[in-house]
Amino acid sequence: MTSGGRLNPCGDAHRRPCPKNGGMSSSPRQRFLAWIAAPSYPWITGGALTAFAVAELFAYPGSVTIAIGVLLSAASLMWRRSCPPVAVLTVAAGLVSFAAGSSLYICTIISGLVGFYTLGRHRVHHPAILLAGGTLGSLAVNLAHIAGWSRQDGLPVPALGGPGSLGLFAEAFVLSVVLLGAVSMGDAVRAREETRQQRALAQAQLIAMERQQAAEAERAAIARELHDIVSHSVSMIAVQAESATYTTPGLTPAAREGFQQIASTARSSMAELRRLLGVLRTPQVDATALTAPQPTLDHLAELLDQHRAVGGEAELKVTGERLALPAAWELSAYRIVQEALTNARKHAPGARTVVEIDYGSDRLTLRIRDNGPGPTGTTGHGLTGMRERAELVGGRLSAGRGPDGGFLVEGELPW
């Protein structure tokens, strides 16, 4: 089962996980690419090539210089991903081993190609520099071979620059063409990866922008609904309550004060509603630009006076030294107390409510308890809002039956 009680379309009673790639098994190409991307891939291939080099040297022994160059060229590939510049050593060792002998080992051909590919893939240097360096190295190897060449028919080798000497550099030409292909392939793979990453980044930015626009449109719709429905109703309450004190004959002073209190509360609600509408319409509103300051714990006395004015009984107990808390903590604590008093008036009219504020060294503790009939439910929107306000500043909140009966709201807001 998933959230909301819906069945997992890819699972069963034992919660069998969904396969990737839309429920289809990965293709051989995808498995091969995943294997290449594994951290152990360079060590496996480099070790295998080194073992092949040892076997080839046993089959076709060479001088000490050739053996060291062949083995170093193959073994250095094991570090080509963790340290790409080591591929320079791979290529150099391969060229030295080739220059020291007249034949080129197969393992050296492979290691040289992989080395040039690595240099281009990781952009150790600009491709032009890599090609220039590889061409010069190939030419140096070719010249070393020319110095030791002799014609099988006993005739002298053509002098450099003389007739027929151009064919002597075929070896350098072939090596240069091969390394050009290896470097170009590595650079092309690097460019393709960068393009893919840029495309993925652009797509993520586009999705984020679309989500932001959708959220702004939703906020605007909510603001319109609040303005058209709630603000109209609240303003009517304020107008009717205030006019009742003049149009209703024979009102007692207490009743007149009650109507005035209703009108004052409605006007305060309108002010809060206007602030909320401003936040919804301009999500990046500056807090200093608000027309009215946010309520803080210093306004709790006024909040309790409003509670008493509508028939409730409330007491405020403060322990600890009053601290200057961040605005988010002050507002969250005030709203929690406000909502708790509202619930007390709604579910336990006439009950005595005690609000306790404890300023600790590292946290603010809130306790709002009443002696009413006790909880009638703990899943209302008001309680959910209080919990969310506590969690917003990293705190917690619990609500339920108190140890002596009634209803108890306890919250801790650490800082």
Side-chain angles (χ1 to χ4, degrees), residues 86-341:
V86 78
V88 175
L89 177 62
T90 301
V91 174
L95 291 176
V96 169
S97 66
F98 185 32
S102 58
S103 59
L104 186 60
Y105 287 80
I106 297 177
C107 61
T108 305
I109 297 175
I110 298 174
S111 63
L113 290 176
V114 175
F116 274 115
Y117 170 84
T118 302
L119 293 175
R121 170 68 178 82
H122 296 279
R123 202 68 178 267
V124 176
H125 294 290
H126 193 276
I129 298 177
L130 297 177
L131 293 176
T135 301
L136 291 177
S138 301
L139 182 61
V141 171
N142 200 167
L143 291 175
H145 287 167
I146 291 175
W149 280 350
S150 61
R151 292 182 56 161
Q152 295 181 355
D153 55 7
L155 298 176
V157 177
L160 296 179
S165 63
L166 187 60
L168 300 176
F169 296 96
E171 186 179 74
F173 176 76
V174 172
L175 290 177
S176 299
V177 171
V178 171
L179 70 91
L180 172 63
V183 172
S184 300
M185 181 180 296
D187 191 68
V189 172
R190 179 197 59 80
R192 186 178 62 183
E193 289 294 331
E194 290 182 353
T195 302
R196 183 183 295 113
Q197 293 175 1
Q198 293 174 357
R199 187 184 300 113
L201 178 60
Q203 185 176 6
Q205 292 175 346
L206 178 61
I207 293 175
M209 185 181 302
E210 291 176 348
R211 289 178 177 175
Q212 182 179 1
Q213 292 175 351
E216 292 176 357
E218 185 67 20
R219 281 194 295 266
I222 295 173
R224 287 193 299 269
E225 292 294 329
L226 287 174
H227 180 271
D228 294 342
I229 300 175
V230 181
S231 63
H232 175 73
S233 301
V234 175
S235 63
M236 287 297 297
I237 292 174
V239 171
Q240 291 177 358
E242 197 161 31
S243 63
T245 59
Y246 303 101
T247 59
T248 305
L251 284 178
T252 63
R256 190 178 301 275
E257 178 64 23
F259 277 117
Q260 290 293 339
Q261 187 64 39
I262 293 173
S264 176
T265 303
R267 286 193 296 269
S268 300
S269 300
M270 283 295 298
E272 286 293 325
L273 185 58
R274 283 194 295 268
R275 186 187 66 82
L276 177 60
L277 292 177
V279 173
L280 287 174
R281 286 172 176 149
T282 56
Q284 296 180 353
V285 64
D286 186 359
T288 60
L290 298 177
T291 57
Q294 297 279 8
T296 65
L297 292 175
D298 294 331
H299 298 84
L300 285 182
E302 301 175 5
L303 185 62
L304 266 65
D305 289 340
Q306 295 175 4
H307 181 75
R308 299 187 190 100
V310 294
E313 184 180 352
E315 179 184 357
L316 177 62
K317 295 182 179 180
V318 180
T319 57
E321 183 180 357
R322 174 71 166 99
L323 302 176
L325 304 179
W329 274 253
E330 295 272 356
L331 180 60
S332 295
Y334 179 90
R335 294 303 187 200
I336 290 173
V337 175
Q338 183 183 43
E339 183 61 31
L341 292 176

Side-chain angles (χ1 to χ4, degrees), residues 1-156:
M1 298 287 290
T2 59
S3 61
R6 293 175 294 180
L7 289 174
N8 184 357
C10 301
D12 50 21
H14 302 285
R15 301 184 64 85
R16 177 168 49 88
C18 297
K20 298 181 179 180
N21 302 322
M24 299 178 62
S25 60
S26 58
S27 63
R29 178 177 180 274
Q30 290 174 331
R31 290 195 295 269
F32 175 73
L33 293 177
W35 179 66
I36 290 179
S40 60
Y41 171 75
W43 294 91
I44 295 175
T45 54
L49 187 62
T50 303
F52 178 69
V54 172
E56 194 172 12
L57 286 172
F58 270 109
Y60 305 99
S63 63
V64 176
T65 302
I66 294 175
I68 294 176
V70 170
L71 293 176
L72 188 59
S73 179
S76 59
L77 290 177
M78 290 186 284
W79 290 272
R80 67 183 184 274
R81 181 172 294 173
S82 59
C83 184
V86 78
V88 175
L89 177 62
T90 301
V91 174
L95 291 176
V96 169
S97 66
F98 185 32
S102 58
S103 59
L104 186 60
Y105 287 80
I106 297 177
C107 61
T108 305
I109 297 175
I110 298 174
S111 63
L113 290 176
V114 175
F116 274 115
Y117 170 84
T118 302
L119 293 175
R121 170 68 178 82
H122 296 279
R123 202 68 178 267
V124 176
H125 294 290
H126 193 276
I129 298 177
L130 297 177
L131 293 176
T135 301
L136 291 177
S138 301
L139 182 61
V141 171
N142 200 167
L143 291 175
H145 287 167
I146 291 175
W149 280 350
S150 61
R151 292 182 56 161
Q152 295 181 355
D153 55 7
L155 298 176

